[in-house]
Amino acid sequence: MVNETQHACSASSSSRSDGGSSSGSESSKDNSRCSTPVLDSDRHERLREKMRRRQDAGDKWFSLEFFPPRTANAAVNLISRFDRMGAGGPLFIDVTWHPAGDPGSDKETSSMIIANTAVNYCGLETILHMTCCNQTKDDITGHLQKAKRLGLKNIMALRGDPSGEEWEEEVDGFNYAVDLVKHIRNEFDDYFDICVAGYPKGHPEAESYEADLRHLKEKVFAGADFIITQLFFRPETFLKFMKDCQAIGITCPIIPGIFPIQGYHSLRQLVKLSKLEVPQEIKDVIEPIKDNDAAIRNYGVELAVSMCRELLDSGMVHGLHFYTLNREVATTEVLKRLGLWREDPRRPLPWAVSAHPKRRVEDVRPIFWASRPKSYIYRTQEWDDFPNGRWGNSSSPAFGELKDYYLFYLKSKSPREELLKMWGEELTSEESVFEVFTCYITGEPNRNGYKVTCMPWNDDPLATETNLLKDELERVNRRGILTINSQPNINGKPSTDPIVGWGPSGGYVFQKAYLEFFTSSEIVTALLKVLKKYELRVNYHIVNVKGQNITNAPDLQPNAVTWGIFPGREIIQPTVVDPVSFLSWKDEAFALWIEQWAKLYEEESPSRMIIQYIHDNYYLVNLVDNDFPLENCLWQVVEDTFELLN
Amino acid sequence: MVNETQHACSASSSSRSDGGSSSGSESSKDNSRCSTPVLDSDRHERLREKMRRRQDAGDKWFSLEFFPPRTANAAVNLISRFDRMGAGGPLFIDVTWHPAGDPGSDKETSSMIIANTAVNYCGLETILHMTCCNQTKDDITGHLQKAKRLGLKNIMALRGDPSGEEWEEEVDGFNYAVDLVKHIRNEFDDYFDICVAGYPKGHPEAESYEADLRHLKEKVFAGADFIITQLFFRPETFLKFMKDCQAIGITCPIIPGIFPIQGYHSLRQLVKLSKLEVPQEIKDVIEPIKDNDAAIRNYGVELAVSMCRELLDSGMVHGLHFYTLNREVATTEVLKRLGLWREDPRRPLPWAVSAHPKRRVEDVRPIFWASRPKSYIYRTQEWDDFPNGRWGNSSSPAFGELKDYYLFYLKSKSPREELLKMWGEELTSEESVFEVFTCYITGEPNRNGYKVTCMPWNDDPLATETNLLKDELERVNRRGILTINSQPNINGKPSTDPIVGWGPSGGYVFQKAYLEFFTSSEIVTALLKVLKKYELRVNYHIVNVKGQNITNAPDLQPNAVTWGIFPGREIIQPTVVDPVSFLSWKDEAFALWIEQWAKLYEEESPSRMIIQYIHDNYYLVNLVDNDFPLENCLWQVVEDTFELLN
């Protein structure tokens, strides 16, 4: 046993380094050790590797298919759906390619931009569909280059529906999906993982089932990594197809496409498009209840669950692909009943990671964007390097400006009317603003009976963790300390803690108490006097919209405020209070007063002028209590400030 | 008050980055934030900045002058003296230039190599003297280039004593120190801090005191940063000189050179060389006691203390420079009586830092070399980048081989005879080796009555911290777990803790328990069985001299085992257990059995064969208990192993 090398190590540990060849950043590439600590191996694997690892571990998985929306509003909703359904733990999602919808454009409804948003802003492993017929080589290469640039790593290579009835093969054109597969491998080598479609009943245009199987084999041998099938209605259809594939030498993963019937009309439409026949036993059930949507959906769920069970029980199926039709309820229900929906409260890092490959090593962010991760990703999208291990040592350039507060993936989920109900149709004083903040914290309805479920700085209800501070936050907001971000101190809780835990199990997480708020210059003047007493314990940054900046931070160094210690790993410190980024954040934080709130009201209206006054005159303050093992002193700092004022 | 910008921030925080120009490692240079966390600002300052900061803070300091030794043995002793006197906190040391001793060569006794050792291996801010007369421009440039390459940053520019009685100026040669100052500034711009000599009584060869002052002014205006004076016997001599300097416009720091009289003969010799006259009142005291060394030294200390007090009390003197004559006692005594000797038990990092400018950012090292920091520095001397923040992310190339275990700065302080007394004139069995290890741990004399104060892996007595584990270590060494490195777990002690603390005050330090030992394959087999029970808690690496390697470390990732959390800073994690470096360390650790121990005995002797057997057959094991908040389980692991064996 002793002679067994469990982990072979190829490091030429005793060879003297050549000073000349190992200089600068080049040497890291020559280095035999892994170049970065791996907190979450998922982030470092390609989709096909993830698939293989899950299969090897006997760990069943699912994936979700969406189509691009038609309107900007629908895009906002779809992104929220990505966030919600992403929480169930899909191995990937895929976004279909709609040739009619300008799929490669920069429009917020294009396939390309929706897939980009899923990867970068929702952190989802994503496959972008791409069709090839009726397109030039240059068009296709352009699309693929753009996809690569946006961080997409997986392509579903399809022929697409030829336009016009009388389709004829083009010489040297892209006539079949296999041409696209070959093109991708020729032009992009092994960069993309490639998926192709399989037809358990044979492609409707194929000469025969057997001929179609041969086409599929060609696609796989041309470089496809796995197969997703067209929908089917009987498990035996898929299982036979799979055996037939294996019989002719197709060994890559074949993922059954599952279509939970969600309504009479959607079924009919899909059947028409796919040229499939609905089995008589299903028609017999559906026809009598065709006007009862709920009944049909319930039946669809039953049917899907039983089919999926049979597939999984066969031992041949490791993952299930769901045609969601952009709807949540039926698919989620099926997944929950199958036990595949795993809303894992444990997070790899305290913030939502992006799936862009260039952000693979990113593991430090400023705390300021904690509630606006998509804005953070947007403002750092041009960076070539991302902070890893430390913030101060990162080679990250300056933040991009946030000019457009209405980008669809940053936009509030609530329409203007709802926001007015929450934040006040009419503001009469600064105190009426204090009330809005207080209601958001307490969850109590405002004076007009509406609950305040979001704020300009936070589009979601209060985080569970912030709830730990609810009483204190309520007290200070009532008095004009308008909090927008906070965290309690934590002195070593298990990394599996349901509220504050993150990272792999067996570790311990820590935090320094943090409080960030807007407040008046009168309060700031008193606060600064009080802070003198806490000089060695509390770090502060105080800034107004003009950039006047007061801080006691040493040498503009970042202060790590969240960190974790894990077995066999280096320290991870995912959030910092960074004095330099704070000045970028303050531009955004102040602008949100105007962009999200003031602009709800008429120009020159008293409500708008109150928000404008706050924007022009208040300060944005952040406080860190460095003594994390002791009781959080920040509340005392605030109490002392109020006392001084009285 | 609010409008006051206490820390101006020049970051152009809202300008969008140009993706093109900010790629790769270049962008870090464009970055407005500080490029690395600053744990210890001393490491980032030039000598002249340190001097200014200490002066501004009203913080008095001292420096120490040494000359290069004549023999290799004396070099070993001088390096130990650097370590001991370095502990008192000199602002810098300086090493004189002996033209007759091949001062720029690679000999272990050359000025260049001694200064190099002081900087790199002892971590001391160092000034290298350099004389210029009778040397070619190329020689001098060569010396300066070499000094720069070795990490030396400060030069004391001197003329040197012209050889021969009849010295004549050379045309275009280096005739005066000012020529050297100009040359350094011409060829090396502002790279070096330059010091020049001042003569409180005027240079003996100067036409007049006034003429000499003008020469000094020339040297300063040519680019010297500060002045160290020749020795003098009366404080008023220096104070007058200083006022005269200021009167003619010399504003840089002027540091008085203090010579504590240590003996009759050394005084006479120095006086002869420097052409100074000893004042009558001193002669009157010394002549009657000239044969009583102790009495003269006591008088010299008294005299120096009183003169230094007067200088410091004048308010004009901020630092004192001591001519030590390579001796410790008198200077240390003077410094202690003046209250300038500050043996600060607090360490900036848990290991001794090097003062080479390219190691300025280094703040992570593998734990393996904890007791052999000079060997670590030697084996990484060719690296261009040093790990900062994280180990795994560093761009450090492979370790250099340690071929010469007898380099003077790595050599044991004890001669062969002493080592034989400690480690046994004759070994009879593996158990007699166990005894040596046990005696080293307990501090008890061995069977021949000698204390074991060093081991091949550790040239110093047991660290205070290791003492915390003494009882457990004794128990396991007796039974053949031959420990060479260990640390207890620590769950957040103040950074000012006298035993385990390090880093700035106000922080908290943490450790995972660590144990490293040699042991037999029989014990390893049992240990591996026991470790299965601790799989999730204990990381292990087990390797033999042939490199057979057994580990449960995930993906060869480093495990941080010492870290600190400080106010307003990112996390510092100065020691890691790195699986890759462990394989370089094991080469060294195994070789020390042979190089330091086996070679004490005759070839083919039984003693030598016992050590050779251990070298060939034992394993080197390291264990980390990841659960630092719980009681250290490593002792239980060892107990369980012994239980299994019985």
Side-chain angles (χ1 to χ4, degrees):
Chain A
M1 166 186 252
V2 169
N3 290 329
E4 194 183 302
T5 299
Q6 294 189 7
H7 279 79
C9 176
S10 63
S12 62
S13 56
S14 59
S15 71
R16 184 185 289 265
S17 78
D18 174 348
S21 71
S22 62
S23 66
S25 58
E26 276 306 301
S27 53
S28 61
K29 285 155 199 152
D30 304 327
N31 200 335
S32 56
R33 69 176 66 105
C34 55
S35 69
T36 178
V38 181
L39 188 62
D40 175 10
S41 57
D42 256 24
R43 286 175 82 187
H44 293 260
E45 282 176 333
R46 320 176 52 129
L47 179 51
R48 64 192 185 205
E49 289 165 357
K50 289 184 196 178
M51 227 174 252
R52 195 176 311 127
R53 191 166 50 86
R54 296 282 285 260
Q55 175 165 340
D56 291 348
D59 194 5
K60 308 296 186 200
W61 52 264
F62 68 94
S63 51
L64 303 169
E65 182 162 315
F66 299 92
F67 54 79
R70 279 165 204 250
T71 65
N73 263 346
V76 174
N77 289 334
L78 184 60
I79 298 313
S80 302
R81 183 160 297 127
F82 285 173
D83 285 337
R84 287 191 301 271
M85 295 191 83
L91 187 66
F92 63 87
I93 69 152
D94 58 332
V95 178
T96 60
W97 185 259
H98 280 209
D102 204 357
S105 75
D106 284 339
K107 287 197 302 188
E108 54 206 1
T109 55
S110 80
S111 300
M112 188 71 83
I113 292 304
I114 292 296
N116 164 52
T117 308
V119 167
N120 288 297
Y121 293 92
C122 306
L124 296 168
E125 180 79 58
T126 301
I127 302 178
L128 176 63
H129 290 220
M130 208 171 274
T131 62
C132 61
C133 76
N134 299 322
Q135 290 190 80
T136 68
K137 204 171 189 168
D138 284 353
D139 282 346
I140 289 172
T141 301
H143 290 325
L144 288 164
Q145 277 166 342
K146 182 169 184 175
K148 183 176 174 184
R149 204 167 55 244
L150 293 175
L152 292 161
K153 297 169 295 178
N154 313 293
I155 299 290
M156 173 109 175
L158 298 164
R159 187 187 71 178
D161 296 317
S163 58
E165 291 290 305
E166 301 293 312
W167 175 65
E168 281 183 25
E169 288 194 19
E170 292 175 54
V171 181
D172 288 336
F174 289 94
N175 295 307
Y176 298 101
V178 68
D179 301 326
L180 180 53
V181 175
K182 285 177 184 165
H183 178 72
I184 297 174
R185 285 285 172 250
N186 280 339
E187 302 274 313
F188 294 87
D189 198 14
D190 201 35
Y191 176 80
F192 289 106
D193 277 17
I194 302 177
C195 173
V196 291
Y199 299 87
K201 288 278 202 185
H203 191 279
E205 291 169 21
E207 309 100 82
S208 68
Y209 176 75
E210 288 70 26
D212 193 52
L213 277 183
R214 284 194 303 274
H215 289 316
L216 182 58
K217 186 174 170 179
E218 271 176 49
K219 292 195 279 188
V220 173
F221 278 62
D225 296 296
F226 50 94
I227 297 163
I228 294 178
T229 78
Q230 179 59 286
L231 65 92
F232 51 88
F233 294 100
R234 293 183 181 127
E236 54 273 25
T237 308
F238 176 82
L239 295 173
K240 174 181 181 304
F241 171 71
M242 192 152 177
K243 279 176 204 146
D244 294 337
C245 286
Q246 288 170 344
I248 64 162
I250 295 173
T251 56
C252 70
I254 304 175
I255 305 144
I258 309 297
F259 173 71
I261 297 170
Q262 308 198 40
Y264 186 73
H265 293 290
S266 62
L267 175 64
R268 269 177 63 116
Q269 204 187 349
L270 200 85
V271 161
K272 194 179 141 204
L273 279 172
S274 60
K275 300 179 180 152
L276 289 175
E277 220 172 292
V278 179
Q280 194 55 46
E281 69 268 23
I282 295 181
K283 283 187 187 157
D284 289 348
V285 179
I286 281 186
E287 285 296 336
I289 55 170
K290 67 179 182 184
D291 297 321
N292 184 341
D293 283 354
I296 288 192
R297 201 170 53 227
N298 287 343
Y299 170 68
V301 167
E302 279 306 327
L303 198 66
V305 167
S306 104
M307 185 163 77
C308 290
R309 285 220 173 103
E310 206 164 320
L311 290 170
L312 294 172
D313 288 349
S314 75
M316 296 172 71
V317 170
H318 306 281
L320 301 165
H321 185 72
F322 285 84
Y323 294 107
T324 67
L325 303 185
N326 285 14
R327 297 187 198 157
E328 260 174 276
V329 180
T331 302
T332 307
E333 173 74 15
V334 172
L335 286 167
K336 283 183 176 167
R337 287 188 42 193
L338 291 170
L340 292 179
W341 183 269
R342 290 180 205 152
E343 219 159 312
D344 190 352
R346 288 189 319 169
R347 307 161 289 174
L349 286 169
W351 34 262
V353 301
S354 167
H356 195 295
K358 76 176 178 179
R359 302 187 87 116
R360 196 180 286 145
V361 301
E362 181 184 27
D363 67 4
V364 195
R365 288 187 187 171
I367 196 170
F368 316 122
W369 282 269
S371 301
R372 290 178 61 79
K374 293 188 174 82
S375 157
Y376 181 78
I377 290 164
Y378 174 77
R379 297 189 66 179
T380 58
Q381 64 185 342
E382 302 294 338
W383 291 7
D384 294 309
D385 299 310
F386 287 87
N388 170 245
R390 275 189 180 160
W391 178 262
N393 201 20
S394 82
S395 48
S396 44
F399 286 86
E401 256 186 287
L402 181 56
K403 282 180 191 147
D404 189 347
Y405 289 78
Y406 302 100
L407 288 167
F408 77 102
Y409 43 82
L410 298 181
K411 212 175 157 182
S412 174
K413 286 167 233 158
S414 315
R416 179 171 179 273
E417 316 79 66
E418 266 183 51
L419 295 179
L420 277 170
K421 282 177 190 157
M422 289 196 258
W423 302 344
E425 306 273 355
E426 220 170 290
L427 301 172
T428 51
S429 65
E430 290 168 64
E431 282 69 28
S432 49
V433 172
F434 301 177
E435 265 182 51
V436 176
F437 276 84
T438 309
C439 289
Y440 174 70
I441 297 292
T442 59
E444 301 292 319
N446 64 16
R447 61 175 60 194
N448 299 314
Y450 293 100
K451 288 204 179 182
V452 181
T453 57
C454 68
M455 291 295 282
W457 304 270
N458 197 340
D459 204 32
D460 291 304
L462 217 55
T464 331
E465 187 193 17
T466 316
N467 249 312
L468 299 174
L469 308 171
K470 203 165 158 177
D471 293 348
E472 289 88 349
L473 287 169
E474 178 187 347
R475 208 166 55 234
V476 304
N477 275 282
R478 271 192 206 293
R479 301 172 73 176
I481 299 268
L482 307 177
T483 60
I484 60 170
N485 195 357
S486 58
Q487 69 175 24
N489 59 318
I490 288 165
N491 185 16
K493 288 218 179 181
S495 58
T496 48
D497 184 277
I499 296 175
V500 299
W502 53 273
S505 55
Y508 296 90
V509 298
F510 293 79
Q511 289 180 181
K512 290 180 181 177
Y514 179 74
L515 191 60
E516 182 181 336
F517 53 86
F518 290 102
T519 201
S520 67
S521 68
E522 186 195 4
I523 290 180
V524 163
T525 306
L527 177 65
L528 277 167
K529 284 190 190 123
V530 169
L531 282 169
K532 286 204 192 304
K533 279 201 304 180
Y534 295 86
E535 187 64 26
L536 293 171
R537 181 162 176 183
V538 175
N539 280 121
Y540 56 84
H541 299 90
I542 303 176
V543 64
N544 67 3
V545 73
K546 297 179 212 88
Q548 285 165 337
N549 189 21
I550 312 164
T551 175
N552 67 343
D555 312 319
L556 293 183
Q557 284 192 63
N559 191 351
V561 292
T562 304
W563 63 99
I565 316 297
F566 301 98
R569 286 186 166 84
E570 299 199 65
I571 314 293
I572 312 289
Q573 52 149 52
T575 49
V576 296
V577 170
D578 171 48
V580 178
S581 331
F582 186 57
L583 298 187
S584 294
W585 164 246
K586 74 106 175 109
D587 291 339
E588 181 170 336
F590 275 104
L592 286 165
W593 281 107
I594 305 299
E595 298 293 333
Q596 300 253 19
W597 199 335
K599 287 187 177 172
L600 295 177
Y601 310 107
E602 297 291 315
E603 275 189 60
E604 307 292 331
S605 67
S607 296
R608 185 146 177 177
M609 284 164 70
I610 285 167
I611 300 295
Q612 186 74 49
Y613 176 84
I614 290 176
H615 169 270
D616 295 347
N617 293 283
Y618 274 37
Y619 283 78
L620 181 61
V621 177
N622 78 51
L623 305 176
V624 176
D625 177 3
N626 287 299
D627 259 332
F628 61 96
L630 312 182
E631 206 190 335
N632 177 355
C633 74
L634 300 182
W635 304 117
Q636 194 55 50
V637 169
V638 175
E639 280 309 313
D640 291 358
T641 304
F642 287 133
E643 213 163 275
L644 189 67
L645 280 169
N646 289 344
Chain B
M1 165 188 256
V2 169
N3 290 330
E4 195 183 303
T5 300
Q6 293 188 7
H7 279 78
C9 177
S10 63
S12 62
S13 55
S14 59
S15 71
R16 185 183 289 265
S17 80
D18 174 348
S21 71
S22 62
S23 67
S25 60
E26 276 306 300
S27 54
S28 61
K29 285 156 201 151
D30 304 326
N31 200 335
S32 57
R33 69 176 66 105
C34 55
S35 68
T36 178
V38 181
L39 188 62
D40 175 10
S41 58
D42 254 25
R43 286 175 81 187
H44 293 260
E45 283 177 332
R46 319 175 54 128
L47 178 51
R48 64 192 185 206
E49 289 164 357
K50 289 184 194 177
M51 227 174 255
R52 196 176 308 125
R53 191 166 50 85
R54 296 283 284 261
Q55 175 166 342
D56 291 349
D59 194 5
K60 308 297 184 200
W61 52 265
F62 68 94
S63 52
L64 303 169
E65 182 163 313
F66 299 92
F67 55 80
R70 278 164 204 246
T71 66
N73 264 346
V76 174
N77 290 333
L78 184 59
I79 298 315
S80 301
R81 184 160 296 128
F82 284 173
D83 285 337
R84 286 191 302 272
M85 295 190 82
L91 187 67
F92 62 87
I93 69 151
D94 59 332
V95 178
T96 60
W97 186 259
H98 281 207
D102 204 356
S105 74
D106 285 338
K107 287 196 303 188
E108 54 206 1
T109 54
S110 79
S111 300
M112 187 72 82
I113 293 303
I114 292 295
N116 165 51
T117 308
V119 168
N120 288 297
Y121 294 92
C122 306
L124 296 167
E125 180 80 58
T126 302
I127 303 178
L128 175 63
H129 290 220
M130 207 171 274
T131 62
C132 62
C133 76
N134 299 322
Q135 290 189 80
T136 68
K137 204 169 189 168
D138 284 353
D139 283 345
I140 289 172
T141 301
H143 291 324
L144 289 164
Q145 277 165 343
K146 183 169 184 175
K148 184 176 173 183
R149 204 165 57 241
L150 294 175
L152 293 161
K153 298 171 295 177
N154 314 293
I155 299 290
M156 173 108 174
L158 299 164
R159 186 187 72 178
D161 296 316
S163 57
E165 291 290 304
E166 300 292 313
W167 174 67
E168 279 184 28
E169 290 192 19
E170 293 174 54
V171 180
D172 287 337
F174 289 94
N175 296 305
Y176 297 101
V178 67
D179 300 325
L180 180 53
V181 175
K182 285 177 185 164
H183 178 72
I184 297 174
R185 285 287 173 249
N186 280 339
E187 302 274 315
F188 295 86
D189 199 15
D190 201 34
Y191 176 79
F192 289 106
D193 277 17
I194 302 176
C195 172
V196 291
Y199 299 87
K201 287 278 203 183
H203 192 279
E205 291 169 21
E207 308 100 83
S208 67
Y209 177 77
E210 289 70 28
D212 193 52
L213 277 183
R214 284 196 302 274
H215 289 316
L216 182 58
K217 186 174 171 180
E218 271 176 48
K219 292 194 281 187
V220 172
F221 279 62
D225 296 296
F226 50 94
I227 297 163
I228 295 178
T229 77
Q230 179 59 286
L231 65 93
F232 51 89
F233 294 99
R234 294 184 181 126
E236 54 272 25
T237 308
F238 176 82
L239 295 173
K240 174 181 181 302
F241 171 70
M242 192 154 178
K243 278 176 205 147
D244 293 338
C245 285
Q246 288 170 343
I248 64 162
I250 296 173
T251 56
C252 71
I254 304 175
I255 305 145
I258 308 296
F259 174 70
I261 297 170
Q262 307 199 41
Y264 186 72
H265 294 290
S266 63
L267 175 64
R268 270 176 63 116
Q269 205 188 349
L270 200 86
V271 162
K272 195 180 142 202
L273 279 172
S274 60
K275 299 179 181 155
L276 289 174
E277 219 171 295
V278 179
Q280 194 56 45
E281 69 267 22
I282 295 180
K283 283 186 186 159
D284 288 348
V285 179
I286 281 185
E287 285 296 335
I289 54 170
K290 68 179 181 185
D291 296 321
N292 184 340
D293 284 354
I296 288 190
R297 200 169 54 225
N298 288 342
Y299 170 68
V301 167
E302 279 305 327
L303 198 67
V305 167
S306 106
M307 185 163 76
C308 290
R309 285 219 174 103
E310 206 164 319
L311 289 171
L312 294 171
D313 289 348
S314 75
M316 295 172 72
V317 170
H318 307 281
L320 301 166
H321 185 72
F322 286 83
Y323 294 105
T324 67
L325 302 186
N326 285 16
R327 296 188 199 155
E328 262 174 275
V329 180
T331 301
T332 307
E333 173 74 16
V334 172
L335 286 167
K336 283 183 176 166
R337 289 191 37 197
L338 291 170
L340 293 179
W341 183 268
R342 290 181 205 152
E343 219 160 310
D344 189 352
R346 289 189 317 170
R347 307 161 290 174
L349 285 168
W351 33 263
V353 301
S354 166
H356 195 296
K358 76 176 177 179
R359 303 187 87 116
R360 197 179 284 145
V361 300
E362 181 184 26
D363 67 4
V364 196
R365 288 186 187 171
I367 196 171
F368 317 122
W369 282 269
S371 301
R372 291 178 59 79
K374 292 188 173 85
S375 158
Y376 182 78
I377 290 165
Y378 174 78
R379 297 190 65 179
T380 58
Q381 64 185 343
E382 302 293 338
W383 292 7
D384 293 310
D385 298 310
F386 287 87
N388 170 245
R390 274 189 181 160
W391 178 263
N393 201 21
S394 82
S395 49
S396 44
F399 286 86
E401 256 186 288
L402 181 55
K403 282 180 192 149
D404 188 348
Y405 289 78
Y406 302 100
L407 288 166
F408 77 102
Y409 43 83
L410 298 180
K411 212 176 157 182
S412 173
K413 285 169 235 157
S414 315
R416 179 170 178 272
E417 315 81 66
E418 266 184 50
L419 295 178
L420 277 170
K421 282 178 188 156
M422 289 195 260
W423 302 343
E425 305 275 356
E426 220 169 293
L427 301 172
T428 51
S429 65
E430 290 169 62
E431 282 69 27
S432 49
V433 172
F434 301 177
E435 265 183 51
V436 176
F437 276 85
T438 309
C439 288
Y440 174 69
I441 297 291
T442 60
E444 301 290 319
N446 64 16
R447 60 175 59 194
N448 300 314
Y450 293 101
K451 288 204 179 181
V452 181
T453 57
C454 68
M455 291 295 281
W457 304 270
N458 197 339
D459 204 33
D460 290 305
L462 218 56
T464 332
E465 188 192 16
T466 316
N467 249 312
L468 300 174
L469 307 171
K470 203 165 155 176
D471 293 348
E472 289 88 348
L473 288 169
E474 178 188 346
R475 208 166 55 237
V476 305
N477 275 282
R478 270 192 206 294
R479 300 173 73 175
I481 299 267
L482 306 177
T483 60
I484 60 169
N485 195 356
S486 59
Q487 69 175 23
N489 59 318
I490 288 165
N491 186 16
K493 287 217 178 180
S495 58
T496 48
D497 184 276
I499 295 175
V500 299
W502 54 272
S505 55
Y508 296 90
V509 298
F510 293 80
Q511 289 180 182
K512 291 180 180 177
Y514 179 74
L515 191 60
E516 182 182 336
F517 53 86
F518 290 101
T519 202
S520 66
S521 67
E522 186 195 3
I523 290 180
V524 163
T525 306
L527 177 65
L528 277 167
K529 285 191 189 120
V530 169
L531 283 170
K532 285 202 191 308
K533 279 200 305 179
Y534 295 86
E535 187 63 26
L536 293 172
R537 180 161 176 185
V538 176
N539 280 120
Y540 56 85
H541 298 90
I542 302 176
V543 65
N544 67 3
V545 73
K546 298 179 210 88
Q548 285 164 338
N549 188 20
I550 312 165
T551 176
N552 67 343
D555 312 318
L556 292 183
Q557 284 193 62
N559 191 351
V561 292
T562 304
W563 63 98
I565 317 296
F566 301 97
R569 286 186 167 83
E570 299 198 65
I571 314 293
I572 313 288
Q573 53 150 51
T575 49
V576 295
V577 170
D578 171 48
V580 179
S581 333
F582 187 57
L583 298 186
S584 294
W585 164 245
K586 75 105 175 107
D587 291 338
E588 182 170 336
F590 275 103
L592 286 165
W593 281 106
I594 304 298
E595 297 293 332
Q596 299 253 19
W597 199 335
K599 287 188 178 173
L600 295 176
Y601 309 107
E602 297 291 315
E603 276 188 60
E604 307 292 331
S605 66
S607 297
R608 185 147 177 176
M609 283 165 71
I610 286 166
I611 301 295
Q612 185 75 49
Y613 176 84
I614 290 176
H615 170 269
D616 294 347
N617 293 284
Y618 273 38
Y619 283 78
L620 182 61
V621 177
N622 78 51
L623 304 176
V624 177
D625 177 4
N626 287 300
D627 258 333
F628 62 95
L630 311 182
E631 205 191 334
N632 178 355
C633 74
L634 300 182
W635 304 117
Q636 194 55 49
V637 168
V638 175
E639 280 308 312
D640 291 359
T641 303
F642 287 131
E643 214 162 276
L644 189 67
L645 280 170
N646 288 344

